Amino acid sequence: MNSVLVTGGAGFLGSHLCDRLIEQGKNVICVDNFFTGNKRNIAHLIGHPRFEVIRHDIVHPIYLEVNEIYNLACPASPVAYQYNPIKTIKTSTVGMVNVLGLAKRCRAKVLHASTSEVYGDPNVHPQVEEYWGNVNPLGPRSCYDEGKRIAESLCVNYHHAHNVPIRIVRIFNTYGPRMDPNDGRVISNFINQALRGEPITIYGDGQQTRSFCYVDDLISGFLKMMEQEETTGPVNIGNPVENTMLELAEAVLQNVDSDSKLAYEPLPQDDPKQRCPDITKAKTILKWEPRVSLQEGLGKTVEYYRQLMNQESA
């Protein structure tokens, strides 16, 4: 039996990954401490004969028998990872050591979900995997940025020292249903403000850019990365189409059919001015590129948040 462990499996990305793995006929063990994960994300899987959920924090060792591990355990939004920065660092260091130790014992393949945040506020645009980044190691985002950089180093060193088969993907801004409406990310903020008729908060002049990848596309990239044998990575997984924050706000307002106005606030410290992946490796090695347009993805995400608001007000 092919058993797959998904750490952070009750989170936004983890729950979608669990769905796809179940569809593939895999036996899935979801491990989550439910700090940012949510039971509603996996409620539909509870009782499935090939799905198991364990409440556990990977900062503490866990002993399982698995063939593959997808390591998604770590709060990913600034609101969440700055809430307890020391715990965030420990998840990416102590937790990563525990995951790799488990993989070493089981001879399991590990896919580690890293992040575009390892590039910091980049001086190279678009960002290629060979770029070492421009990260402030002492700033408010460093608990996440530097933790993820250390996690990548741990993966590579376990691979070289113990022959642990690893795959590293660097995730660029991803959105879609099950994204926590209160996580402070730009798409969730904009959609919820528009749905409530509140002003849309624009930081700085709104000309900073991000590239937005719909969750279904991202998960397809994960699966292709795990299956291939050509590279350990890192490989960028994201959408190479850039949008300014003003363009995103306009797209959200159109999707919601809202007349919310724009409200400008100062730019947060160390907030990147540009963020866009070079996905040449993903295209050539994985034969992967995003397929869902921003308008289509926003439509599905807006509908999800509408349903959440209706449930809360019922």
Side-chain angles (χ1 to χ4, degrees), residues 51-70:
F51 181 77
E52 180 181 356
V53 60
I54 301 172
R55 180 187 287 269
H56 180 83
D57 191 321
I58 64 164
V59 167
H60 305 287
I62 188 168
Y63 301 95
L64 300 166
E65 294 296 328
V66 294
N67 306 104
E68 295 179 344
I69 302 171
Y70 288 82

Side-chain angles (χ1 to χ4, degrees), residues 118-124 127-134 170:
V118 301
Y119 299 122
D121 189 3
N123 298 318
V124 171
Q127 289 81 63
V128 294
E129 290 87 350
E130 291 75 20
Y131 177 51
W132 291 355
N134 178 37
R170 289 177 177 164

Side-chain angles (χ1 to χ4, degrees), residues 212-214 217-218 237-241 277 279 282-283 288-293:
F212 298 102
C213 185
Y214 188 65
D217 284 333
L218 185 89
I237 302 291
N239 194 325
V241 178
I279 63 167
K283 284 182 175 180
W288 176 92
E289 60 184 311
R291 301 184 181 279
V292 179
S293 70

Side-chain angles (χ1 to χ4, degrees), residues 197-214:
E198 300 170 353
I200 303 291
T201 305
I202 301 289
Y203 293 102
D205 60 6
Q207 293 303 314
Q208 65 271 37
T209 66
R210 296 292 185 273
S211 56
F212 298 102
C213 185
Y214 188 65

Side-chain angles (χ1 to χ4, degrees), residues 171-226:
I171 303 170
F172 283 69
N173 294 64
T174 304
Y175 70 100
R178 302 183 198 163
M179 186 166 56
D180 185 344
N182 301 309
D183 69 359
R185 296 190 223 196
V186 63
I187 285 187
S188 52
N189 282 352
F190 283 9
I191 291 177
N192 281 288
Q193 289 171 333
L195 286 171
R196 296 189 181 105
E198 300 170 353
I200 303 291
T201 305
I202 301 289
Y203 293 102
D205 60 6
Q207 293 303 314
Q208 65 271 37
T209 66
R210 296 292 185 273
S211 56
F212 298 102
C213 185
Y214 188 65
V215 60
D216 288 355
D217 284 333
L218 185 89
I219 299 304
S220 295
F222 280 9
L223 298 172
K224 285 178 177 289
M225 183 66 180
M226 183 65 99

Side-chain angles (χ1 to χ4, degrees), residues 75-112:
S77 73
V79 170
Y81 66 63
Q82 291 174 8
Y83 175 78
N84 188 339
I86 294 172
K87 184 60 181 291
T88 298
I89 296 171
K90 287 175 72 175
T91 301
S92 289
T93 54
V94 178
M96 188 78 251
V97 168
N98 288 332
V99 167
L100 290 165
L102 173 63
K104 178 186 171 186
R105 287 189 297 274
C106 295
R107 299 182 181 177
K109 190 190 302 183
V110 178
L111 183 142
H112 173 60

